[in-house]
């Protein structure tokens, strides 16, 4: 499995140029979301509304740029606390009891063993945060730390994603070659060992990089944990909701109340995350685990992009406390529950069929058989569209952004000449509507992501099933949205 293929590399994401853009460009885009939609001057920074008079000096004065300059984006203390959070997640993974599961059969013929307890781990972490909040309120140190050190927190997670990607890339060269002893069933990912260093670093060379805890470690000694599954399901995904909670605390601290809009967004996103954690074993049936290697693409996505970009609408509302009212709440709830119903029903149907086709809840569904021996659903949810779960996923994304309304605000600061007291006033003004570039970015990005993911899935299925896939596509014509796409 470790021998590099002699075939011409099959690149995704536009090959090495696309990999370079993601590895070096998306981190800059993430920083831009932090600086250009801020609590110093507005969202967007007012200087951007008047391009003719825009200067770098003017822009830097309107964003939370560190006084120390670029070096100020890194804080050793923030890095230490961030690593501590990762360590807590790892200890809970290893020490708490969990559901014992074996993954899919690998090309080596073996199967990896997994222990799933992400939901219970999350409950314990949230319980700890709840106790701290009950004692200190909105001034709880975790919430103030996140808000005050947000750019440095982003940097810490970005550094971790780069270092982790480099580690798994170098470690992948230890995968045994074909014919060599391979007791750990290590293997390279399909398409992850093209020979182009940057692309392989980005896409991930090894399919399932794993680490064994030394036998001398109490309780957890000898356990093996899967780096990819751990990163996909724990620090970043849970951190996403922790950021939302910090933004709620900040809104209360600054404005004396919490709006329905930020509560709805946090509730919806927490529901999505906790649902994923509760259904954690289902991750073993996803393309991420079955086919994709673990490299910068997943490391950055899991640890940086998801928590810091997906939480942007809640961060916006922490500064501009927009209220929906009863009509707005009902409308947003309807969108969310429609999307969630489609998403969860479709995924449950697929997971049940894959794990136990005799389950009475799926045994009546119509299928077509393939030469590979597997069966494809052509009725139920998966008879409506070939990737119907993506439709529900995308609909849900609207409910994460709609509560921000016609977004945009400008912060006016006034100083009392007698007392010296500083007053801040947040108004929409000329920024009204322009903030939607930030708060509605998730809908556009997620739609593009799902279409790209669908195209990748289609190509892989076409290679796997050949003519059977063409036959399947004639039965199930729509890709994601029935009747439209």
């Amino acid at each position: 499995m470790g021998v590099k293929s002699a075939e011409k590399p099959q690149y995704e994401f536009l090959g090495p140029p696309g990999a370079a853009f993601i590895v070096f460009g998306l981190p800059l885009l993430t920083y831009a979301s932090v600086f250009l939609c801020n609590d110093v001057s507005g969202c967007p920074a007012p200087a951007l509304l008047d391009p003719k008079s825009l200067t770098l000096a003017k822009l830097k004065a309107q964003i939370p740029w560190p006084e120390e300059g670029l070096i100020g984006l890194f804080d050793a203390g923030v890095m230490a606390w961030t690593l501590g959070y990762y360590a807590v997640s790892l200890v809970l993974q290893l020490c708490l009891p969990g559901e014992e599961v074996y993954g899919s059969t690998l090309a080596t013929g073996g199967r990896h063993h997994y222990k799933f307890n992400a939901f219970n781990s999350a409950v314990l972490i949230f319980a700890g945060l709840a106790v701290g909040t009950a004692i200190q309120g909105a001034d709880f140190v975790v919430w103030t730390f996140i808000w005050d050190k947000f750019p440095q927190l982003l940097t810490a997670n970005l550094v971790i994603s780069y270092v982790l990607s480099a580690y798994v890339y170098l470690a992948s060269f230890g995968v045994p070659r074909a014919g060599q002893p391979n007791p750990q069933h290590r293997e390279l990912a399909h398409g992850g060992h093209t020979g182009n260093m940057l692309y392989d670093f980005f896409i991930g060379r090894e399919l399932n990089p794993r680490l064994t805890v030394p036998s001398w470690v109490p309780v957890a000694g000898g356990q093996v944990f899967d780096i990819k599954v751990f990163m996909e399901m724990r620090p970043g995904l849970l951190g996403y909701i922790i950021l939302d909670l910090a933004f709620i605390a900040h809104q209360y601290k600054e404005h004396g109340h919490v709006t329905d809009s930020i509560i709805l967004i946090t509730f919806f996103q927490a529901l999505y995350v906790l649902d994923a954690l509760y259904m954690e074993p289902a991750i073993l049936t996803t393309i991420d685990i079955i086919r994709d290697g673990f490299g910068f693409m997943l490391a950055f996505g899991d640890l940086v992009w998801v928590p810091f970009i997906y939480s942007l609408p809640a961060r916006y509302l922490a500064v501009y406390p927009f209220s929906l009212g009863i009509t707005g709440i009902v409308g947003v709830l309807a969108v969310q529950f429609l999307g969630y119903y489609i998403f969860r029903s479709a995924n449950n149907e697929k997971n049940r069929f894959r794990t136990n086709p005799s389950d009475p809840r799926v045994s009546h569904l119509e299928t077509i058989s393939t030469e590979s021996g597997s069966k494809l659903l052509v009725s139920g949810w998966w008879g409506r569209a070939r990737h119907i779960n993506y439709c529900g996923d995308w609909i849900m994304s609207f409910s994460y952004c709609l509560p921000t309304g016609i977004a945009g605000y400008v912060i006016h600061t006034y100083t009392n000449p007698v007392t010296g007291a500083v007053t801040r006033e947040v108004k929409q003004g000329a920024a009204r509507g322009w903030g939607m570039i930030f708060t509605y970015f998730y809908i556009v990005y997620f739609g593009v992501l799902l279409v790209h993911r669908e195209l990748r899935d289609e190509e892989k299925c076409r290679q796997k099933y050949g003519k059977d896939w063409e036959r399947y596509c004639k039965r199930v014509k729509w890709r994601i949205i029935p009747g439209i796409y």
Side-chain angles (χ1 to χ4, degrees):
M1 295 304 300
V3 179
K4 186 174 72 176
S5 173
E7 299 177 359
K8 183 179 179 180
Q10 295 183 350
Y11 291 124
E12 298 183 74
F13 298 95
L14 303 179
F21 170 75
I22 294 174
V23 171
F24 302 110
L26 287 192
L28 296 179
L29 182 61
T30 310
Y31 277 116
S33 74
V34 172
F35 291 127
L36 302 184
C37 181
N38 62 69
D39 68 329
V40 174
S41 62
C43 181
L48 298 175
L49 301 177
D50 187 12
K52 292 182 180 180
S53 63
L54 178 63
T55 64
L56 182 59
K58 185 177 180 180
L59 183 61
K60 286 177 68 175
Q62 295 181 357
I63 64 176
W65 188 254
E67 293 182 1
E68 307 90 335
L70 195 63
I71 190 82
L73 293 176
F74 179 82
D75 185 303
V78 173
M79 173 61 79
W81 283 111
T82 302
L83 290 174
Y85 164 68
Y86 279 72
V88 169
S89 296
L90 180 57
V91 169
L92 292 175
Q93 154 77 40
L94 296 173
C95 296
L96 287 181
E99 182 178 356
E100 307 282 338
V101 177
Y102 281 93
S104 302
T105 302
L106 302 165
T108 62
R111 300 172 69 190
H112 287 315
H113 173 266
Y114 298 88
K115 183 176 74 172
F116 292 122
N117 57 22
F119 183 81
N120 293 338
S121 300
V123 169
L124 284 178
I125 290 175
F126 283 137
L129 294 173
V131 171
T133 305
I135 296 172
Q136 296 184 315
D139 289 318
F140 179 40
V141 63
V142 172
W143 309 141
T144 56
F145 173 83
I146 288 174
W147 188 266
D148 295 340
K149 298 292 186 179
F150 196 70
Q152 291 77 17
L153 193 62
L154 166 59
T155 301
N157 284 277
L158 183 59
V159 169
I160 292 171
S161 67
Y162 276 117
V163 172
L164 180 61
S165 302
Y167 167 77
V168 294
Y169 173 77
L170 294 174
S172 70
F173 289 95
V175 173
R177 295 177 177 271
Q180 293 182 334
N182 191 4
Q184 296 178 326
H185 299 290
R186 298 178 63 188
E187 62 178 283
L188 298 181
H190 177 79
H193 47 110
T194 64
N196 183 286
M197 183 181 297
L198 177 62
Y199 181 83
D200 292 347
F201 167 84
F202 157 73
I203 205 72
R205 290 190 86 245
E206 188 168 356
L207 181 63
N208 294 302
R210 296 160 72 84
L211 288 175
T212 301
V213 180
S215 58
W216 49 264
V217 176
V219 183
Q223 286 193 50
V224 178
F225 82 97
D226 189 292
I227 296 175
K228 181 163 64 174
V229 172
F230 177 81
M231 294 301 168
E232 289 233 345
M233 299 304 297
R234 289 174 181 267
L237 200 59
L238 188 59
Y240 172 20
I241 306 307
I242 293 175
L243 292 183
D244 280 356
L245 294 174
F247 301 149
I248 290 178
H250 183 79
Q251 187 188 78
Y252 181 78
K253 182 177 178 180
E254 289 296 309
H255 303 283
H257 67 281
V258 176
T259 59
D260 48 21
S261 53
I262 198 170
I263 289 294
L264 275 182
I265 284 180
T266 302
F267 172 75
F268 294 154
Q269 294 178 339
L271 176 66
Y272 184 85
V273 168
L274 291 175
D275 174 81
L277 299 181
Y278 187 77
M279 302 294 293
E280 188 179 16
I283 194 176
L284 297 181
T285 65
T286 64
I287 292 294
D288 282 2
I289 303 303
I290 295 173
R291 192 177 179 88
D292 289 344
F294 184 75
F296 183 81
M297 177 181 72
L298 288 180
F300 172 79
D302 294 339
L303 308 181
V304 179
W305 190 258
V306 167
F308 290 91
I309 292 295
Y310 289 18
S311 65
L312 204 158
R315 181 163 61 84
Y316 167 89
L317 292 170
V319 181
Y320 184 74
F322 176 70
S323 294
L324 293 168
I326 297 298
T327 303
I329 291 173
V330 171
V332 174
L333 282 172
V335 172
Q336 165 67 14
F337 286 120
L338 172 63
Y340 181 76
Y341 172 71
I342 296 173
F343 172 80
R344 178 43 55 205
S345 298
N347 279 336
N348 280 346
E349 186 178 88
K350 176 183 67 173
N351 194 47
R352 287 168 184 149
F353 181 77
R354 285 183 173 179
T355 55
N356 181 18
S358 299
D359 188 319
R361 291 170 290 186
V362 296
S363 59
H364 65 284
L365 297 176
E366 186 181 355
T367 64
I368 61 172
S369 299
T370 67
E371 292 182 1
S372 65
S374 57
K375 294 182 178 181
L376 300 174
L377 288 168
V378 292
S379 67
W381 282 109
W382 300 92
R384 294 181 173 90
R386 303 197 288 272
H387 307 276
I388 188 67
N389 57 329
Y390 292 170
C391 177
D393 220 354
W394 192 56
I395 291 173
M396 279 192 290
S397 73
F398 280 75
S399 66
Y400 303 160
C401 305
L402 288 172
T404 64
I406 309 300
Y409 61 78
V410 176
I411 299 176
H412 300 282
T413 303
Y414 306 99
T415 303
N416 187 307
V418 178
T419 64
V422 177
T423 303
R424 282 162 50 97
E425 188 177 46
V426 183
K427 290 186 174 182
Q428 289 207 289
R432 177 178 167 82
W434 289 105
M436 295 174 71
I437 295 173
F438 299 93
T439 64
Y440 285 75
F441 171 75
Y442 177 67
I443 293 177
V444 178
Y445 154 74
F446 200 52
V448 173
L449 173 70
L450 291 176
V451 170
H452 178 265
R453 187 180 296 172
E454 173 264 324
L455 293 174
R456 293 181 72 209
D457 292 347
E458 290 273 325
E459 181 59 30
K460 290 170 182 176
C461 289
R462 188 168 285 106
Q463 293 176 5
K464 180 178 180 179
Y465 298 114
K467 293 182 179 180
D468 290 325
W469 184 254
E470 300 300 328
R471 184 161 56 96
Y472 166 72
C473 290
K474 290 180 180 179
R475 287 290 305 273
V476 185
K477 297 180 180 180
W478 302 105
R479 294 170 178 261
I480 297 178
I481 306 176
I484 298 178
Y485 175 73

